Amino acid sequence: MKVLKIDGGKTLSGTIRISGAKNSSVALIPAAILADDEVTICNVPEITDTDALTEILEYLGADVKRASESILINPTTIENKEIPKELSTKLRASYYFMSALLGKYKYVEMYFPGGCNIGARPIDQTLKSFRALGATIEEKDNRYKIYADELIGAHIYLDMPSVGATINAMLASVKAKGETIIENAAKEPEVVNVAIFLNGMGAKITGAGTSEIRIKGVDVLKGCYTEVIPDRIEAGTYIIAGALVGSNLKIDNIIPEHVEMLILKMKEMGVKMEIGPDYVVVSKTDNLKPIKIKTQGYPGFATDLQQPITTLLTQCEGISVLEETIYENRFQNVAYLNKMGANIEIDNKKIKVVGKTELNGTEVEATDLRAGACLVLAGLLANNTTKIKNIEHVLRGYENIVEKLSDVGAAIELIEE
Ligand code: EPU
């Protein structure tokens, strides 16, 4: 079993360069299927989630070449066959293959996707969009067969601005006949990244990044080149690390606007930061003020940063309150933070963090990706040694985390136990 061992209390200084966004890459790789020629996706992080999707592409027969930081995908050799259960249940994002294959071939067979255990994660909004476009869906024991004679543009209202459903609706409708309008669409930068990629292929998508996206169907999508945006959640995680143990720690290659909600909340706490055009420099600050946080869709406070920032809330002088509105099971990090010395109470969808508390290294477990990130941050701050089990969750989403943190002064290593 892989365990992450951290000797805490080291000061971090220097520069951490942010990788391409996981949640963009995991949509762009399946979206490549829609092209009728080779596409190049640049700045793709090497993490196990992108590996898992590449494996699906190769299983389907695409020619995939990994160059440093980029992936070249030639989808013209693809055979549209059923994606086996063990491949689709590895991660949530496998369901982008549902919409990409449906959009291109009007037929797809695959299983319900996997993903972190952070709450119920239905796919009803995605399926509703497929039906609105004219598809028939047969489901038995989580195995889906989805097909249509033709897909026809439709007016779709999403019951919640789901990132996954918005991207799926775009991928399924980009080659449909006529116009599709997605109302109450997710506004996350990753949705925009996917729309730019599709438009590069010749799609006609407008409004991505707002709550109304319009897609005029086209017959042919050509090859193109696109770039993955910087990972705002990775950036946010390291910005928080800087506030915990940084001394002029520079988080570089970011789009500051994408982490604005985090920066503004950290300013409310009193964290010392310098914001540049594509970087943030951050240092450990004493006498942090407690704050209130509520997670929301973009541009609100990202649920994916909720667990990481909890570590920082333990260092505020007083009571902070954090409300999670997206996932009902995203507090599994709390028991481990308390084991390390934090004073946090869970009350339904809220947690109350009483600070400031000293954190002490011990054995903890990454129950999911961002819970793991929260514990890495806690380990960097804590006295003595922290060992994090189930670290595979973290490796799914943070490229070269051990190297990046070691390079700025952390005492961190992956060990086998
Ligand atoms: N929801 C439904 N029905 C649906 C879709 C979503 O009820 O058909 C609900 C979910 O139960 C949840 C909420 O809507 O309560 C949000 O779900 P969403 O579909 O937005 O999540 P997702 O697309 O599955 C992506 C990211 C998540 C991130 C969320 C919110 C990917 C692969 N995953 O998930 O990332 O938390 O958006 O921003 O892009 C992570 O990186 O750790 C992670 C979990």
Side-chain angles (χ1 to χ4, degrees):
M1 184 180 55
K2 279 199 177 77
V3 171
L4 190 69
K5 178 171 165 272
I6 306 173
D7 290 324
K10 307 278 182 285
T11 298
L12 305 189
S13 55
T15 301
I16 299 181
R17 189 179 160 79
I18 296 307
S19 302
K22 167 180 94 76
N23 288 345
S24 279
S25 306
V26 296
L28 295 172
I29 294 170
I33 282 185
L34 286 156
D36 298 309
D37 209 341
E38 186 173 272
V39 298
T40 303
I41 310 173
C42 187
N43 201 30
V44 178
E46 275 195 48
I47 47 176
T48 46
D49 266 13
T50 53
D51 292 344
L53 294 169
T54 308
E55 196 183 340
I56 298 179
L57 270 183
E58 286 175 335
Y59 166 81
L60 293 171
D63 181 27
V64 184
K65 290 192 194 76
R66 192 66 156 107
S68 77
E69 292 198 348
S70 54
I71 300 190
L72 278 69
I73 301 167
N74 184 342
T76 57
T77 47
I78 279 182
E79 185 194 333
N80 184 16
K81 54 185 176 181
E82 180 179 331
I83 298 173
K85 193 175 185 177
E86 62 272 21
L87 293 183
S88 49
T89 52
K90 269 192 188 170
L91 73 172
R92 174 78 170 172
S94 64
Y95 76 162
Y96 292 134
F97 279 102
M98 254 186 199
S99 50
L101 289 168
L102 180 69
K104 181 148 183 174
Y105 300 102
K106 319 280 178 277
Y107 186 91
V108 58
E109 276 186 77
M110 68 176 282
Y111 285 83
F112 193 85
C116 282
N117 175 21
I118 49 179
R121 300 180 80 180
I123 61 169
D124 56 304
Q125 301 302 304
T126 287
L127 299 177
K128 175 171 113 171
S129 307
F130 294 165
R131 282 195 197 94
L133 295 167
T136 300
I137 300 172
E138 293 174 23
E139 186 264 335
K140 191 167 184 270
D141 300 331
N142 278 338
R143 183 174 171 279
Y144 290 82
K145 184 166 147 185
I146 307 169
Y147 51 93
D149 289 335
E150 59 176 358
L151 295 168
I152 298 172
H155 204 160
I156 300 164
Y157 174 81
L158 299 179
D159 294 332
M160 72 286 295
S162 152
V163 173
T166 302
I167 293 177
N168 275 325
M170 283 199 302
L171 299 181
S173 61
V174 75
K175 294 188 90 175
K177 286 208 162 57
E179 189 177 36
T180 297
I181 305 172
I182 309 169
E183 304 284 3
N184 199 26
K187 298 190 280 246
E188 269 71 358
E190 293 76 18
V191 173
V192 180
N193 208 175
V194 174
I196 289 172
F197 182 39
L198 295 170
N199 282 346
M201 293 181 196
K204 290 196 162 59
I205 302 174
T206 54
T210 75
S211 55
E212 186 186 275
I213 300 179
R214 287 174 180 258
I215 303 143
K216 287 200 175 102
V218 295
D219 290 331
V220 176
L221 291 173
K222 57 186 191 325
C224 73
Y225 163 92
T226 204
E227 200 168 334
V228 181
I229 55 171
D231 195 310
R232 62 197 169 97
I233 307 302
E234 187 200 18
T237 304
Y238 292 132
I239 292 171
I240 295 168
L244 288 166
V245 287
S247 168
N248 288 321
L249 183 69
K250 184 174 183 182
I251 316 302
D252 201 11
N253 188 40
I254 67 166
I255 299 176
E257 192 192 333
H258 290 175
V259 281
E260 201 151 53
M261 36 69 193
L262 174 71
I263 288 170
L264 292 173
K265 291 310 285 186
M266 285 177 49
K267 278 190 177 163
E268 272 180 38
M269 288 178 181
V271 175
K272 276 188 256 155
M273 279 179 287
E274 176 203 333
I275 322 293
D278 60 353
Y279 65 86
V280 172
V281 178
V282 56
S283 296
K284 176 182 168 66
T285 316
D286 292 325
N287 297 318
L288 293 179
K289 294 193 241 343
I291 55 164
K292 287 197 172 113
I293 297 179
K294 184 174 178 176
T295 64
Q296 274 165 341
Y298 189 84
F301 195 93
T303 169
D304 295 341
L305 286 172
Q306 177 266 104
Q307 291 161 306
I309 205 165
T310 304
T311 305
L312 188 57
L313 297 181
T314 69
Q315 301 308 300
C316 295
E317 309 278 352
I319 298 175
S320 296
V321 177
L322 192 158
E323 183 177 354
E324 168 60 58
T325 68
I326 315 284
Y327 297 110
E328 66 277 9
N329 192 23
R330 223 174 192 183
F331 289 139
Q332 294 179 81
N333 52 322
V334 166
Y336 294 106
L337 281 177
N338 282 343
K339 190 179 173 196
M340 293 177 78
N343 180 357
I344 308 174
E345 262 173 45
I346 304 180
D347 179 11
N348 195 17
K349 290 179 170 181
K350 290 186 183 168
I351 56 173
K352 192 173 92 179
V353 186
V354 184
K356 171 182 181 175
T357 50
E358 204 171 49
L359 299 184
N360 294 302
T362 180
E363 264 194 22
V364 293
E365 194 172 323
T367 50
D368 54 81
L369 169 58
R370 308 301 171 188
C374 157
L375 296 173
V376 171
L377 294 170
L380 291 172
L381 174 72
N383 303 317
N384 305 319
T385 303
T386 301
K387 284 187 174 177
I388 308 174
K389 293 196 284 188
N390 276 344
I391 201 65
E392 281 79 6
H393 282 298
V394 176
L395 304 180
R396 283 185 36 219
Y398 289 84
E399 186 179 45
N400 296 335
I401 185 166
V402 174
E403 293 78 358
K404 286 188 184 190
L405 286 170
S406 307
D407 286 352
V408 292
I412 181 169
E413 59 178 329
L414 261 186
I415 55 172
E416 282 291 337
E417 272 197 351

